[in-house]
Structures are given as structure tokens and as C-alpha cells.
Amino acid sequence: MAPNKIILRFGENTSDQPIIYRLVKDYDLVINILKANVNPNKEGTMVLELTGEKYEEGLGYLRDQGIRVQPLAEEVFRNEDRCISCGACTGICPTGALSLERPSMEVKFDSDNCIVCQLCVKVCPLKAMEVRF
Amino acid sequence: MAIEKTYAEINEKIKSGKAVVLTAEEVIGLVEEKGLTEATRQVDVVTTGTFAPMCSSGVFLNFGHSKPKMKMQKVWLNGVPAYSGIAAVDAYLGATELPEDDPCNNNYPGEFRYGGGHVIQDLLMGKKVKLEATSYGTDCYPRRELETYINLDDINEATLFNPRNSYQNYNCGVNLSNRVIYTYMGVLKPNLGNAHYCSAGQLSPLLNDPYFLTIGMGTKIFLGGGIGYVAWNGTQHFPEIQKDAAGNSYGPSGGTLSVVGDLKQMEANWLLGTSFLGYGATLSVSIGIPIPILNEEVMRCVSVSDRDLYAPIVDYGEAYGQRLPSDLGFASYAELKSGTITVNGKKIPTAPLSSYPKAREIAAILKEWICKGDFLLTEPVKLLPSYRDGIQSKKLEIRGL
Ligand code: SF4
Ligand code: SF4
């Protein structure tokens, strides 16, 4: 079963709850946290990969807690008009989602391998990598 | 008898649609297959190309006169200051100039999302750009301040004038220090974590005319998607032959070009505002130069491949910034493009900053223009200094009176 990538958004009242623990213990889900962040207003976002039989039930539990759940289909995408295939991002991308094809030296973007670390968004000199929520 | 062709003969062939034009990539195989003499006989022009960040770029603008008139003393375009110590309504906007309120690297590493290069791109895209100016007022130019919006069509002239472009060759940057560094060569990881290089190698204009046998003042070129000219040598024009400590030769190094052209006939996708994390803003510039095959010597120069061309490996962790010698050897462009090089015995991944696919596209467009008879070659008024002129770079020493 392929893992599902999702974004969770926590309000101020939920960011201190042991949500992930419940997902593991009560719903037996396998969790890979790709990114987590709490802002000064105590609102949090978390990007995760989730796998398991009780995936839908787990999502139901999250929604009951008042957590917004969004699928992470195209979170980081490449603006093809801006990308000039310079290659500056390829050595920085930790997963090889951005890579050089040889011998053409074209830069390929494979969003399936992207873990949304957003390093490329900062590093791309042409601002061709964009975040879409 | 040795083959000698003149510019006039080649142009006659271009006009009659009979010129044989190849890109610098295509000619490699032809010379390997047919030999130098036969290839020289067959081919009339070889086209080159490069598309990469080139900091020393900018545009001269003449805004036209407001009513009442004004001697613009300070000028800003979308908040980016332009140099206006010229004539009353002229200014020069440099690609690396930043908005006055940019946090720069105070927010380390700074993002530099907007600068002079981005203003140039906005103008080319036909966007309206905010023009602000202040002055002290004179009898003939009474106005003291203005705020308005201009676009490229509204103003009189927009002349792209880049004092140093199209580097003949460039460093391969690495980082020997133990922290991440943010450079104009991109983000370099600690302890030789990666290597970045920036040249189109076998397609690069000045690597295909290393001794300046054809490129000089007045050479007509592809610039920013339109037509431009070589105006002079660029600043920091040091066309030496690289040598290692043992005296082995590693080919040409540091020639540069100063180029000029009318921005109004250029295209937004060939001049792009560019930002280097932790370093600054600049402009990515596209340049393509045709090389007339005048004789076998010129053909020998343009038939070089990535295997024959070398970049010096330089430590940006300390040596570069401190102006210390960096003796890490040379890497061929064939190795650099393969994806790994070995430095100090360690295998490290490489990535380019210069777009090879775009360089190839530029050389192909220029080839098409010439084949269609739309683009004739110009004979330079004056060739540029070559390695034979022995130009030495001067260092700036810090001293008091
Ligand atoms: S750094 Fe940006 S422009 Fe260069 S290849 Fe990557 S996405 Fe494209
Ligand atoms: S967000 Fe991270 S993983 Fe995804 S493409 Fe960019 S650098 Fe690679």
C-alpha cells in the first residue's frame, strides 16, 4: 500500500494534544513525519506520510479533533515557464526528486519523490519551484 | 593550399542560402569524422550559446521629459535605485541593485527576491514599473519630485549594456570548510559536500574562440533573444592559459565581453531576474555568438569537446574570499557533466548553474537565423586582446597614505 501524503493544520487548542500517539496506538498507522511547525500563535502544520488499514478511520479521528486534513498532491511544483534547467537545485534536493538527465542535461522533477522540504524553493535562482497549499 | 575564407565570401553564401552552418556541438563529430581540412572546406559558420547568471549587466534608460521638466538626481524603479549621475532624464539600472528596504543578509541567508535584474525582466514582460525621482530643482529643470508609472513602450531608449558578460571559462566551486556557505556559485555544502560549475563548456562562445581570432568590437550576436553587439572586451578580461604547478596547460581561462543591444527587441524568456540565496540578485543572460570558419586554425578551436576543456577547482570556504591560492587541480567539463568529480581523493557530486539545454537552444536559433539569411556576420572593427597580450590582473592593496 502506497503511503498517503497529507497536511494537518492544528488550531491553538489542539497543538498540545498527543494526536500522533493516538494515530499509532488506536489506529495502528505507520507514520513518517516530513515536516512539523508551530507558529507563535500556537497554530501548527504537519506534513506526514500515513499508511495502514485503518487510514480512513484515522482521518475521521483527526477531523473529530477539529484538525483540518488536506491531501498533499502537488505541494511543491515546478513552474515550467520559469525553469531553465540550470541544474542548481539538483545537488541540493535530498531525495533526487530534482535530477539531471544525461546526456541531455535537462532537469527532471519527479513529484512522487518530493518530501516537501522546500530547499529547492529557496535555492532555485529563477524562483521556479513554488509551494502550493 | 590552405583554406582561407573572408567575411564577405561567407556573407555571400548566407545571402544565397548556401552557407553551411553547424552548432559547436554538431561540429565536433564532423571534424572527428572528416578531419580538419575537409571540415574547414565544408563548414562556413559555427554557432555557440550560453545562458547563465551574469552579474555585470544593466540597462541605460531615457525616460523622456515630464512637465515641468526635471533633472533627475535620484531615481528608483519599483523601489530599486538606478544611477542617475548622467544626463537629466537618463539612468543606468544595474542588475545586482537591491531595493533600499531589502533586509539583505541581515536575515541570513537573505532571499534577494527582487533586484535590478527583476525590474529589467518586468519591463520586458510589458509590465508597468513605478518610477520615482527626486531633485534639487534648477531654472531649466524646476520639478523637484515625481512619481509615475512607465512601461518599455512609453520611454525613449532602453539600451542593455553589460560591462562584463560571457565569461570564457569559470571556476568549479567547492567548500572545504565545515559550515554551509551561500555563494554566487549557489549553496555549497561543508567538507566537500558538492561542487558547482557554470559554463556551457563545448558550446560556450569564448571557449570556442579562445585566442580571439574572430570575436571583437562590432561582432553581431544573439543577445537576450534579440540582436546585440560586442562593444569592447569586458571588465576583468584576463585571457590567460591556465597552468598547474607543474606547468601543464589546461586551456583558456578568463576572457570576458562587454555587450550592448536594444532591450526593446529582446524577449522576456531570454533575460531573467535571478536570486542567489545568501548572496544577492542578478540577471540571467542569454548570448549566442557565430564563429566564421575563416581557416583551419579557427576550425581547430571550435571543434573542442568537453573532454578538452577544464575548469579550475576553487575552495569558496576560505581560499576564494581570503584571496589565498587554491590548489585543488582542474576538472574537465566531461567529468563535471558526468555528475561526480574527485577532489582531495573524495568523490563529490557536481551540479551546473549554467543551462546546457538552453545553450543548445540558443546555438540552434542562431543557426536557423543564419541559414534563413536573416543574420549576416560582421567583421570586427578591432579584435580583443588575447593571451599573447599578457594581460595581468591587478590586486587592490589596502593601504594608507
Ligand atoms: S534551480 Fe530552478 S531553474 Fe534551475 S533547474 Fe532547478 S528548478 Fe529549474
Ligand atoms: S521540496 Fe525538497 S524534496 Fe521536494 S523537490 Fe524540492 S528539494 Fe527536492
Side-chain angles (χ1 to χ4, degrees), chain A residues 76 89 92-98 109 113-121 129:
Chain A
V76 163
C89 55
I92 303 302
C93 174
T95 64
L98 284 157
F109 175 50
N113 284 335
C114 174
I115 57 159
V116 201
C117 68
Q118 297 185 26
L119 286 174
C120 57
V121 177
M129 300 305 292

Side-chain angles (χ1 to χ4, degrees), chain B residues 79-268:
Chain B
V80 181
Y83 178 74
S84 50
I86 325 179
V89 290
D90 285 341
Y92 182 78
L93 175 69
T96 66
E97 190 63 84
L98 298 169
E100 269 168 12
D101 58 0
D102 194 290
C104 293
N105 254 349
N106 288 334
N107 228 337
Y108 184 82
E111 294 206 13
F112 304 100
R113 297 193 78 90
Y114 198 81
H118 298 84
V119 178
I120 294 172
Q121 194 189 350
D122 282 347
L123 282 169
L124 270 176
M125 290 171 86
K127 289 191 187 165
K128 289 229 172 287
V129 166
K130 186 177 185 186
L131 167 66
E132 293 165 281
T134 60
S135 186
Y136 48 88
T138 77
D139 291 339
C140 49
Y141 293 117
R143 183 186 279 274
R144 286 162 189 267
E145 54 180 47
L146 68 71
E147 188 179 314
T148 183
Y149 287 83
I150 58 161
N151 68 33
L152 198 53
D153 293 334
D154 291 342
I155 60 176
N156 289 314
E157 284 91 13
T159 309
L160 190 77
F161 189 95
N162 301 349
R164 187 200 323 147
N165 274 184
S166 199
Y167 250 100
Q168 187 161 33
N169 196 0
Y170 215 80
N171 297 335
C172 164
V174 297
N175 177 10
L176 294 177
S177 79
N178 54 17
R179 65 175 187 100
V180 179
I181 57 167
Y182 301 89
T183 75
Y184 67 72
M185 295 298 289
V187 178
L188 297 175
K189 298 184 204 168
N191 308 314
L192 291 172
N194 61 344
H196 281 172
Y197 63 98
C198 189
S199 169
Q202 61 194 11
L203 270 172
S204 168
L206 299 192
L207 285 177
N208 280 289
D209 188 7
Y211 312 127
F212 298 93
L213 302 175
T214 72
I215 297 173
M217 193 181 160
T219 298
K220 188 169 144 188
I221 63 173
F222 172 109
L223 177 61
I227 285 172
Y229 295 87
V230 173
W232 199 251
N233 61 257
T235 54
Q236 296 188 182
H237 179 71
F238 307 132
E240 301 146 17
I241 302 298
Q242 314 177 103
K243 292 213 162 67
D244 65 10
N248 300 310
S249 180
Y250 284 89
S253 59
T256 66
L257 297 180
S258 162
V259 299
V260 61
D262 177 7
L263 186 76
K264 293 193 181 195
Q265 45 92 51
M266 297 185 194
E267 288 178 14

Side-chain angles (χ1 to χ4, degrees), chain B residues 56-70:
Chain B
S56 186
S57 299
V59 62
F60 280 103
L61 302 165
N62 177 283
F63 301 113
H65 283 284
S66 57
K67 185 177 178 186
K69 291 184 179 177
M70 179 178 191

Side-chain angles (χ1 to χ4, degrees), chain A residues 27-110:
Chain A
Y27 300 92
D28 199 20
L29 297 179
V30 177
I31 295 172
N32 184 15
I33 300 177
L34 303 176
K35 212 175 79 178
N37 178 41
V38 179
N39 72 19
N41 300 327
K42 292 197 179 161
E43 293 156 342
T45 43
M46 190 181 278
V47 182
L48 329 150
E49 281 182 339
L50 277 186
T51 340
E53 303 266 316
K54 295 194 191 156
Y55 174 72
E56 289 302 333
E57 290 97 313
L59 291 196
Y61 159 76
L62 291 171
R63 291 198 183 94
D64 288 346
Q65 301 302 307
I67 294 164
R68 274 199 294 142
V69 182
Q70 289 171 287
L72 179 64
E74 276 195 306
E75 208 209 0
V76 163
F77 76 105
R78 178 164 68 166
N79 182 333
E80 303 286 340
D81 291 339
R82 291 198 63 89
C83 174
I84 63 165
S85 263
C86 69
C89 55
T90 57
I92 303 302
C93 174
T95 64
L98 284 157
S99 64
L100 274 167
E101 257 197 0
R102 295 188 167 77
S104 73
M105 303 302 278
E106 299 273 356
V107 173
K108 293 278 166 259
F109 175 50
D110 176 1

